[in-house]
Amino acid sequence: MAERISSHFNQELESVRSEVMRMGGLIEEQLKAVLTALSSTNASGLTAVIDGDSIINELEVGIDDACQNIIARRQPAASDLRFVLTVSRIIVDLERMGDELKKIALSAHELFMHNKVTSTQLYDTHRLAAMTAPMIRRSLDAFARLDSKAILDLNEADNKLDTDYRNQSRMLISFMIEDPRNITTCMEVMMMNKAIERIGDHAKNIAEHVVYLVRGVDVRHTPLEKVKADLED
């Protein structure tokens, strides 16, 4: 009997893990559609991104319900409890990634439908968005492989994304100062860029959650040098 209960518990945990990866896969598909749209200024694929956000939201609710049921029925301890708590945190970041992608899709759709911008003008926005693709993949791999050291790679990638985002913001402000007719379009692009920057933040957050899962240490507000030292122990 005990073995059967343990087997069912492991199946429940594995099901939750699979659903998290499925949720992450949908985020990656949404990002791919956004990248395609930005490079072609074709709004046709953006509707699926906008509508697809509801599926991501439903997955978050479903996974969260499963986690609550596991805690209530199984009363997990130690690493199993950390796993359930980590999942609860990760799905929040994934859901927010979906929200940011929806924001980008809505803004891009508005610009494309009114012919306010060209693919050349969105080159840097596309480049920023492309930088988040390997970050999302790395964070999901870290969860799947229990790779706590992924935080180091993702912190570096996030710093680079933040720097490029700030540089692009300064350029857009200059365009608006030079010609006030650019203000409306530049503001839309700036909001898209900010959403992209936030996606990078959420990818880094996931890596931080993995550190908690693997080592039982919360590093969300810990200086990077201390994190490095802890990971080397």
Side-chain angles (χ1 to χ4, degrees):
M1 177 65 73
E3 290 182 1
R4 185 160 67 244
I5 292 174
S6 177
S7 177
H8 288 166
F9 182 33
N10 290 335
Q11 288 173 11
E12 289 172 5
L13 294 177
E14 186 56 37
S15 176
V16 166
R17 187 193 304 274
S18 296
E19 285 296 277
V20 172
M21 296 305 294
R22 179 186 168 206
M23 192 175 177
L26 289 175
I27 295 295
E28 290 184 301
E29 290 177 11
Q30 299 282 68
L31 175 59
K32 184 177 180 180
V34 166
L35 287 170
T36 299
L38 291 177
S39 64
S40 63
T41 60
N42 187 334
S44 60
L46 294 174
T47 302
V49 176
I50 296 167
D51 294 341
D53 184 56
S54 62
I55 300 174
I56 293 170
N57 293 342
E58 290 171 4
L59 274 171
E60 183 199 16
V61 172
I63 296 169
D64 191 52
D65 284 346
C67 288
Q68 291 185 46
N69 287 333
I70 287 173
I71 291 174
R73 293 172 54 245
R74 303 296 189 182
Q75 299 181 346
S79 61
D80 290 334
L81 178 58
R82 287 209 307 270
F83 173 80
V84 175
L85 294 176
T86 298
V87 166
S88 295
R89 294 174 180 179
I90 287 176
I91 60 175
V92 171
D93 281 297
L94 289 174
E95 188 276 332
R96 289 177 181 168
M97 282 186 188
D99 289 345
E100 300 299 344
L101 286 166
K102 182 179 178 180
K103 289 178 188 176
I104 298 166
L106 287 168
S107 292
H109 190 276
E110 174 69 15
L111 292 173
F112 298 167
M113 295 304 292
H114 294 89
N115 296 315
K116 293 181 179 179
V117 70
T118 66
S119 58
T120 301
Q121 291 170 320
L122 287 178
Y123 171 81
D124 285 308
T125 298
H126 181 278
R127 182 174 58 81
L128 289 175
M131 290 173 68
T132 67
M135 294 179 70
I136 295 172
R137 172 45 45 193
R138 184 75 171 96
S139 67
L140 292 171
D141 283 347
F143 172 67
R145 300 178 183 180
L146 302 179
D147 180 5
S148 60
K149 292 188 177 181
I151 182 60
L152 303 178
D153 295 337
L154 279 160
N155 189 80
E156 182 179 350
D158 188 54
N159 287 339
K160 178 66 166 63
L161 178 62
D162 289 348
T163 298
D164 285 7
Y165 162 71
R166 289 192 294 269
N167 290 339
Q168 181 63 9
S169 294
R170 284 193 287 267
M171 289 180 59
L172 290 168
I173 290 171
S174 296
F175 291 153
M176 289 188 282
I177 293 173
E178 291 171 3
D179 188 348
R181 291 174 297 180
N182 292 327
I183 289 176
T184 301
T185 298
C186 285
M187 287 299 295
E188 287 284 357
V189 175
M190 288 181 74
M191 286 190 289
M192 292 164 65
N193 291 350
K194 181 59 180 177
I196 293 167
E197 187 270 338
R198 290 296 297 140
I199 290 172
D201 289 342
H202 290 303
K204 186 178 74 169
N205 289 349
I206 292 173
E208 291 175 345
H209 301 327
V210 171
V211 175
Y212 170 74
L213 171 59
V214 176
R215 294 175 173 260
V217 179
D218 191 336
V219 297
R220 285 177 292 180
H221 306 292
T222 304
L224 181 61
E225 290 306 316
K226 187 176 187 311
V227 174
K228 286 182 178 179
D230 290 342
L231 291 176
E232 289 172 357
D233 289 343

